[in-house]
């Protein structure tokens, strides 16, 4: 999923291409490498450089997770020197990637599937440069390490949970853009509700997404909270009481509506545990469909800094079985969710891992 327009000046300065984007670069605090990782105090500096998607570094979701992974890699390998540049438009992707090639970064991370074409082009012209990309893979590019996530598996659990928790018998989901890293969440969610209905002989409805038709509700951006409010108010008027926005900062508008509902509406967040990334809304977050971008990025950068090769094939695929995707704790809803429903969700997770329950989405990474 791609997120929110960033609120920091960094993201604003990044507008307009290469010159201003360079001014928007964000560096970690300067430190002298002391060598807790790679090879002691003499370890060469490993420049890990990240290009955000248009949501910016402070999106409380997608880009923020990747940046946290960069910082965690520095903790693991003290020779890592992380920095980023924020994109405010898709036109920024290519020049932002190119500036990091010019700066001789050891690892250049493109955050988001929409950067696939730009990454493919720049990587093809710089075959000795190591790249990485989140939520995409670049065919025939041995120098691009893909990090992808089967979020439909965790969203399946969320759909089952939502159906079991709903009092109205109607739940909803919507996306930021109609792209596979978004709709894969929505597919899993819809199938989880369907599975609940089959198991319980119920008829909980899903608003906002028709998996069979691959058609539904989209905000057409990842940073418009007012749009999120408008979509959510429509769902609530139609009877939905559990809503999963897959729309970055736009989804904070959903959280606003839920907070004003005095407990009548709850939210399932995505990417990062909402009670950590947007803690002011913890009271309304039933759970979060976690995409463990943090650990995937940390491992890739740490391995690179330690001199381990990063293989483009197969790359990294996050699933329930390797904790690459998961459901966050119920946090403040822990006492509100029926213990029997919790046990069913736990068992469903094990059944998916064991292959007893099949989770399939046309938008899942291959």
């Amino acid at each position: 999923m791609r997120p929110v327009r960033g609120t920091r000046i960094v993201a604003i300065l990044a507008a307009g291409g290469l010159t201003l984007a360079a001014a928007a670069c964000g560096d970690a605090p300067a430190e002298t490498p002391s060598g807790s990782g790679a090879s002691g105090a003499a370890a060469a500096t490993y420049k890990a450089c990240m290009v955000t998607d248009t949501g910016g570094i402070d999106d409380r979701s997608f880009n923020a997770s990747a940046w946290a992974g960069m910082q965690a890699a520095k903790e693991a390998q003290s020779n890592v020197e992380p920095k980023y540049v924020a994109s405010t438009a898709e036109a920024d992707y290519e020049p932002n990637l190119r500036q990091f090639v010019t700066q001789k970064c050891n690892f250049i991370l493109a955050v988001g599937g929409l950067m696939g074409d730009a990454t493919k082009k720049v990587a093809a012209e710089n075959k000795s440069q190591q790249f990485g990309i989140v939520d995409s893979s670049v065919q025939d590019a041995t120098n691009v390490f893909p990090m992808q996530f089967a979020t439909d598996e965790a969203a399946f659990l969320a759909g089952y949970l939502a159906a079991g928790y709903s009092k109205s018998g109607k739940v909803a989901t919507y996306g930021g853009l109609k792209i596979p890293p978004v709709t894969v969440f929505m597919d899993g969610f819809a199938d989880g509700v369907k599975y609940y209905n089959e198991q319980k002989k119920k008829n909980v409805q899903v608003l906002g997404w028709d998996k069979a038709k691959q058609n539904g509700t989209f905000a057409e951006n990842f940073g418009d909270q007012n749009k999120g409010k408008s979509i959510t108010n429509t769902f609530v008027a139609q009877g939905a009481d559990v809503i999963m926005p897959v729309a970055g900062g736009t989804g904070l508008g959903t959280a606003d509506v839920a907070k004003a509902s005095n407990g009548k509406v709850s939210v399932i967040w995505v990417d990062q545990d909402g009670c950590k990334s947007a803690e002011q809304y913890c009271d309304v977050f039933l759970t979060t469909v976690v995409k463990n971008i943090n650990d995937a990025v940390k491992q890739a950068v740490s391995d690179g800094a330690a001199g381990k090769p990063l293989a483009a094939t197969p790359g990294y695929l996050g699933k329930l079985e390797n904790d690459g995707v998961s459901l966050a704790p119920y946090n403040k809803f822990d006492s509100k969710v029926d213990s029997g429903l919790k046990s069913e969700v736990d068992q469903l997770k094990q059944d998916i891992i064991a292959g007893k329950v099949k989770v399939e989405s046309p938008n899942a990474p291959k």
Side-chain angles (χ1 to χ4, degrees):
M1 176 205 124
R2 283 184 2 189
V4 189
R5 283 223 183 255
T7 56
R8 290 172 54 175
I9 294 175
V10 167
I12 298 171
L13 289 176
L18 180 58
T19 302
L20 290 178
C25 287
D27 296 286
E31 295 180 12
T32 302
S34 57
S36 64
S39 57
T45 297
Y46 186 84
K47 295 181 180 180
C49 305
M50 184 180 108
V51 179
T52 80
D53 207 335
T54 56
I57 202 72
D58 286 333
D59 61 9
R60 302 176 188 270
S61 185
F62 189 82
N63 294 295
S65 294
W67 181 238
M70 286 279 200
Q71 294 173 309
K74 180 173 177 58
E75 293 297 316
Q77 297 285 138
S78 62
N79 62 320
V80 171
E81 183 182 283
K83 61 165 55 177
Y84 70 87
V85 63
S87 305
T88 59
E90 292 183 24
D92 295 337
Y93 298 159
E94 188 176 325
N96 284 346
L97 290 166
R98 290 190 185 282
Q99 69 156 299
F100 279 148
V101 173
T102 301
Q103 292 179 29
K104 301 188 184 303
C105 293
N106 299 93
F107 179 83
I108 301 174
L109 178 64
V111 184
L114 289 179
M115 287 197 215
D117 289 343
T119 304
K120 180 177 183 179
K121 181 178 180 181
V122 178
E125 296 169 4
N126 298 276
K127 294 185 181 296
S128 63
Q129 170 69 57
Q130 179 66 62
F131 294 85
I133 189 166
V134 173
D135 269 343
S136 187
S137 62
V138 179
Q139 255 188 335
D140 303 321
T142 58
N143 59 332
V144 181
F145 182 76
M147 287 167 262
Q148 300 185 93
F149 302 85
T151 44
D152 51 332
E153 292 186 349
F156 192 103
L157 301 180
Y160 188 97
L161 170 68
Y165 186 79
S166 174
K167 306 298 188 293
S168 67
K170 291 183 179 181
V171 299
T173 184
Y174 69 94
L177 286 175
K178 191 178 180 181
I179 55 176
V182 169
T183 53
V184 67
F185 280 91
M186 299 164 78
D187 284 341
F189 183 82
D191 280 346
V193 174
K194 180 181 178 183
Y195 185 76
Y196 177 88
N197 287 336
E198 292 170 352
Q199 297 299 306
K200 302 293 185 178
K201 309 303 180 189
K202 300 287 188 180
N203 188 32
V204 178
Q205 294 179 272
V206 178
L207 309 179
W209 185 240
D210 185 323
K211 183 189 175 188
K213 295 179 180 178
Q214 289 289 295
N215 188 42
T217 302
F218 295 90
E220 302 304 331
N221 70 81
F222 293 90
D224 186 345
Q225 292 186 35
N226 287 330
K227 183 69 173 179
K229 287 182 181 180
S230 175
I231 290 172
T232 303
N233 282 325
T234 298
F235 285 149
V236 172
Q238 292 172 342
D241 60 355
V242 182
I243 301 171
M244 184 181 78
V246 192
T250 298
L252 294 175
T254 299
D256 272 337
V257 172
K259 197 156 190 173
S261 76
N262 295 316
K264 294 179 182 178
V265 177
S266 56
V267 178
I268 294 177
W269 197 241
V270 298
D271 289 343
Q272 282 187 311
D273 184 345
C275 283
K276 295 178 180 178
S277 63
E279 60 184 337
Q280 70 271 36
Y281 295 111
C282 189
D283 288 347
V284 303
F285 290 143
L286 174 57
T287 187
T288 300
V289 180
V290 176
K291 181 192 293 187
N292 201 348
I293 297 172
N294 185 326
D295 282 356
V297 171
K298 174 189 173 183
Q299 192 62 54
V301 174
S302 297
D303 285 351
K308 297 178 183 178
L310 298 174
T313 305
Y316 172 85
L317 178 60
K319 301 170 68 70
L320 284 176
E321 64 184 343
N322 63 4
D323 291 322
V325 299
S326 64
L327 278 192
Y330 300 112
N331 294 309
K332 294 187 177 182
F333 279 77
D334 193 61
S335 63
K336 301 177 185 179
V337 179
D338 179 78
S339 60
L341 179 58
K342 290 180 185 176
S343 296
E344 290 170 18
V345 172
D346 289 343
Q347 184 59 54
L348 183 55
K349 175 182 176 180
Q350 296 308 315
D351 288 345
I352 292 172
I353 291 173
K356 293 179 181 179
V357 173
K358 302 292 184 183
V359 179
E360 298 177 324
S361 165
N363 300 295
K366 302 297 185 288

